[in-house]
Amino acid sequence: MRTRTAVVAALTAALVLTTAAPAPAAPGGPSRTAELIGRQTLPANDGWAAAGTGTTGGSAAAPDRVRVVRTRAELVDALGGDNATNAADTTPKIVYVAGTVDGFEGPDGTPLDCADLADPEYSLPAYLAAYDPATWGRVTPSGPLEAARVRSVANQTRQTQINVGSNTTIIGLRGARLTGLTLMIDRVDNVIVRNIEFADARDCFPAWSPTDGDTGNWNSQYDQISVRRSEHVWIDHNTFTDGDNPDSAQPVYFGRPWQVHDGSLDVTHTASLVTVSWNRFTGRDKVMLIGSSNTVGPDVGRLNVTVRHNLFDGTLQRLPRVRFGQVDVHENHYRLGGPGFAYALGVGVQSALYAENNFFTLTGDTGPADLLYDWGGTALTERGTWVRQGDRLPRPVGLLAAYNAAHDPDLGGDAGWTPTLRASRPLPTPVVPFVVEAWAGAGRLPL
């Protein structure tokens, strides 16, 4: 009976949300039900984004700032009219996404490809010939071709990076999809993003980094959602995939995979007060980076994030990887293992990660000792973890103890803080996968 009560409490917390009194929808706008859901705000105490003034997004939008968009041009217009300045538009606004909006779409709707964004002096075959480590050596690329690549990146950034201002809600109607673009939430406050599938935020012009790792690596620039220097951000009920362009389909250059994807949802550059709830991350490599540098400085005391009730399905690393912040990771379901899997929770420099009641379903030879990685951190608090490994029955596992038994140096068991911003008591861990499977991801809200 306690389990049933806990499940009901969790579902109530997921669906019964604080709602501002809505104004009537504009003519041709969303349905009354969609209008109500679009004006929902983050519930009190629901993670770090509920701290202080809380997160209300565009709930106070006037009817003329409630828009339904179906193209990139309409999305830019609804966010303020000029992508170069939209981050400065603080007027409350609600943007409903209908169908698929493609970042690789010209102002007139013409589809674009990487060749359309390339600088005239850039050529991938010429780039590969110029900077082949066999002749160029392990030296950072420089010269005309690298300069042309950088200009090409600037062209793509203007096209596929969509800037979001303060006091904004972006919410998908049924089947909404944003592909080939980045939502950039930078230097703003009070943003909500819900009920959208994000697919294939590809980089046309990855950078070759010859000293990254033992043999060098290709690195891409574009996340699906990037939160930088911002506060009070709620990312809820979205799905993140590589679409029909998976990493496994990419070529190999210089002996390394051509990496065209970066993170799903990165929180960096002093951002803080973020709640990430009920999302589905599927088949992605780099998922969630919290803190972008080991340098002790402005990030100290920032990067406070809640990650709850998400599904990480076939993902490989950064689930999340944490630096500096107090990060509350609770009641998530992880389906992990197989080729390419690296780790789940990354314990980085001065991180304070609190992991509670998470459930791991593991395949292949991945075991509990493989789920943590020490990126220069010293401790985390971990409790209530359950693991289902292969065909074995689920069982409680001390994740930290398993890691410490297999690795040196040991990680300490006290992150130095206890979360207080939670909207309800945690579910018993054995029911977490059932609840998360049922409710996480786009398409679960009644829109």
Side-chain angles (χ1 to χ4, degrees):
M1 195 66 181
R2 290 174 58 194
T3 298
R4 179 179 297 175
T5 300
V7 171
V8 170
L11 298 183
T12 300
L15 297 177
V16 181
L17 304 170
T18 304
T19 304
S31 69
R32 183 66 172 178
T33 299
E35 177 82 358
L36 286 167
I37 296 172
R39 292 184 183 272
Q40 288 176 340
T41 64
L42 179 68
N45 298 314
D46 193 351
W48 275 110
T53 58
T55 302
T56 60
S59 60
D64 65 337
R65 293 307 303 266
V66 177
R67 301 277 295 278
V68 178
V69 304
R70 296 173 175 81
T71 67
R72 177 192 176 280
E74 290 177 350
L75 175 60
V76 169
D77 188 61
L79 289 171
D82 183 352
N83 196 41
T85 60
N86 279 351
D89 185 340
T90 63
T91 304
K93 63 195 79 69
I94 302 174
V95 180
Y96 293 90
V97 178
T100 297
V101 173
D102 192 339
F104 284 80
E105 180 183 82
D108 60 354
T110 302
L112 305 175
D113 60 22
C114 291
D116 295 309
L117 302 177
D119 183 88
E121 296 183 19
Y122 175 82
S123 160
L124 178 58
Y127 191 90
L128 295 175
Y131 302 117
D132 188 333
T135 53
W136 179 261
R138 288 174 58 84
V139 180
T140 301
S142 62
L145 277 168
E146 172 63 9
R149 187 196 69 83
V150 171
R151 292 194 298 271
S152 301
V153 170
N155 293 340
Q156 179 172 352
T157 298
R158 286 189 293 269
Q159 173 66 35
T160 66
Q161 181 175 293
I162 305 300
N163 298 314
V164 180
S166 298
N167 306 317
T168 299
T169 294
I170 303 175
I171 185 166
L173 301 176
R174 186 165 297 278
R177 192 168 187 257
L178 296 180
T179 183
L181 60 77
T182 296
L183 284 187
M184 177 58 69
I185 302 170
D186 189 6
R187 295 184 174 91
V188 300
D189 180 78
N190 194 29
V191 174
I192 295 172
V193 181
R194 306 181 75 195
N195 202 49
I196 297 170
E197 178 188 349
F198 290 83
D200 191 21
R202 59 195 177 277
D203 188 340
C204 292
F205 313 103
W208 172 242
S209 303
T211 59
D212 181 1
D214 294 335
T215 58
N217 275 303
W218 295 97
N219 287 301
S220 57
Q221 175 165 316
Y222 303 103
D223 304 321
Q224 293 173 306
I225 299 178
S226 182
V227 183
R228 302 179 179 183
R229 294 168 287 241
S230 298
E231 289 188 341
H232 297 112
V233 179
W234 182 28
I235 309 297
D236 176 72
H237 277 100
N238 302 289
T239 296
F240 298 83
T241 78
D242 287 338
D244 59 1
N245 188 35
D247 288 338
S248 59
Q250 306 307 318
V252 173
Y253 299 128
F254 302 161
R256 301 299 299 157
W258 178 246
Q259 180 58 264
V260 299
H261 299 121
D262 200 13
S264 293
L265 168 58
D266 285 3
V267 181
T268 61
H269 297 83
T270 73
S272 200
L273 308 184
V274 178
T275 295
V276 180
S277 59
W278 300 106
N279 300 285
R280 185 174 292 246
F281 302 90
T282 302
R284 301 221 67 242
D285 181 359
K286 301 172 184 177
V287 175
M288 192 183 310
L289 179 66
I290 301 175
S292 54
S293 169
N294 288 345
T295 302
V296 177
D299 280 334
V300 175
R302 308 287 297 172
L303 301 170
N304 296 328
V305 181
T306 295
V307 180
R308 67 166 185 86
H309 297 105
N310 301 283
L311 174 64
F312 299 91
D313 185 9
T315 49
L316 303 185
Q317 60 178 314
R318 303 182 180 179
L319 316 176
R321 175 181 173 179
V322 181
R323 295 178 173 100
F324 299 107
Q326 294 183 342
V327 177
D328 187 13
V329 179
H330 66 95
E331 299 166 88
N332 301 284
H333 183 203
Y334 296 82
R335 287 204 297 252
L336 307 174
F341 173 72
Y343 65 92
L345 303 177
V347 185
V349 173
Q350 294 189 23
S351 62
L353 207 162
Y354 195 105
E356 183 173 13
N357 288 24
N358 296 294
F359 193 104
F360 292 85
T361 300
L362 304 180
T363 61
D365 58 0
T366 300
D370 304 316
L371 299 177
L372 303 180
Y373 193 91
D374 183 0
W375 287 104
T378 58
L380 79 157
T381 300
E382 178 262 329
R383 53 188 294 182
T385 303
W386 279 59
V387 171
R388 179 194 294 123
Q389 191 164 11
D391 295 330
R392 302 175 189 173
L393 291 174
R395 69 192 194 280
V397 170
L399 208 61
L400 182 60
Y403 174 85
N404 285 342
H407 300 87
D408 289 316
D410 285 0
L411 291 168
D414 183 1
W417 73 293
T418 301
T420 58
L421 289 166
R422 291 184 178 177
S424 60
R425 295 181 62 184
L427 286 169
T429 312
V431 306
V432 165
F434 302 102
V435 174
V436 169
E437 289 282 348
W439 291 102
R444 270 66 176 179
L445 296 177
L447 285 157

